[in-house]
Amino acid sequence: MPTFAGTVPFVAHSRVPRGAHWSGTFSYHVFSLTRAGSVTYSLPDGVVEIVPGDLLHFAPEAFQDWLVQGAKGWQVAYLIVGLPAALSELLPQPTLAPGVGRIHLDPSELRKVARAFREMQEWSERSTPLREQLVINLIEQVLLRVHSGRPTTEIDPRIGQARDFLHDSVETPVVLADVAHAAGL
């Protein structure tokens, strides 16, 4: 089974033709951003189609098995990188398979993330001693941007009512009992 033996961080943009297939693992984190076309991944629970706007994260050693079936091929940007543990809380949840997460970006987010991948590639190709830190900084910015735009949990409706009451009463003195009453507590 193939593994990656190159230097990290490694960033590339590829046009992968119809019929191309790859399976294997990486001992690093892998991010792939589908720009155009599509690819199908074979996963333990079946096959999933990845479309433009899908940002995938593969944890180290997460198995990949993909096949390009779309007539237009697959345009993908990808990053292979070692990440500091501090960024693990920003990674997409592994919803597709163990160690495999996906976030679908709207067209505006896709443009911004694609721009960041281009910048990551520029830095990864330079010989500056800070290239790895700069690439990690850019993927952290991507993860922060994507993570901050996603709801994390639903708030209790009573808390929402209390917040709304306080917002509407900003010019009036309020006591805790008023807030509790407005929230039904």
Side-chain angles (χ1 to χ4, degrees):
M1 180 179 317
T3 60
F4 179 74
T7 304
V8 293
F10 181 83
V11 186
H13 291 75
S14 296
R15 291 178 183 262
V16 186
R18 178 184 173 93
H21 174 257
W22 189 86
S23 64
T25 62
F26 293 85
S27 54
Y28 299 97
H29 291 271
V30 177
F31 295 88
S32 72
L33 176 65
T34 297
R35 303 280 319 278
S38 65
V39 65
T40 56
Y41 276 84
S42 294
L43 301 169
D45 291 336
V47 175
V48 64
E49 183 177 14
I50 304 302
V51 297
D54 282 343
L55 174 66
L56 273 61
H57 168 257
F58 295 87
E61 306 305 330
F63 185 71
Q64 296 186 42
D65 184 2
W66 53 258
L67 172 65
V68 180
Q69 294 180 328
K72 296 180 181 180
W74 181 34
Q75 290 182 34
V76 61
Y78 57 95
L79 165 66
I80 303 169
V81 65
L83 288 180
L87 295 185
S88 62
E89 67 188 38
L90 296 176
L91 296 173
Q93 292 299 309
T95 55
L96 294 180
V100 183
R102 170 176 61 180
I103 295 174
H104 186 74
L105 308 172
D106 67 35
S108 173
E109 290 175 310
L110 175 58
R111 282 189 297 278
K112 292 172 186 171
V113 172
R115 192 174 320 122
F117 268 78
R118 283 191 297 277
E119 192 173 348
M120 281 183 245
Q121 184 172 12
E122 290 171 12
W123 282 113
S124 72
E125 294 171 348
R126 294 184 184 178
S127 61
T128 176
L130 297 177
R131 73 184 194 89
E132 182 175 1
Q133 289 89 342
L134 289 162
V135 170
I136 289 171
N137 180 263
L138 285 164
I139 194 62
E140 180 179 17
Q141 287 180 41
V142 165
L143 293 171
L144 284 167
R145 179 182 302 276
V146 170
H147 189 72
S148 69
R150 305 273 185 250
T152 53
T153 59
E154 298 269 333
I155 66 166
D156 183 308
R158 296 170 296 177
I159 302 300
Q161 291 170 329
R163 179 196 60 217
D164 293 344
F165 173 77
L166 288 168
H167 183 268
D168 294 340
S169 305
V170 72
E171 296 178 7
T172 310
V174 176
V175 296
L176 183 57
D178 296 334
V179 178
H181 178 70
L185 297 172

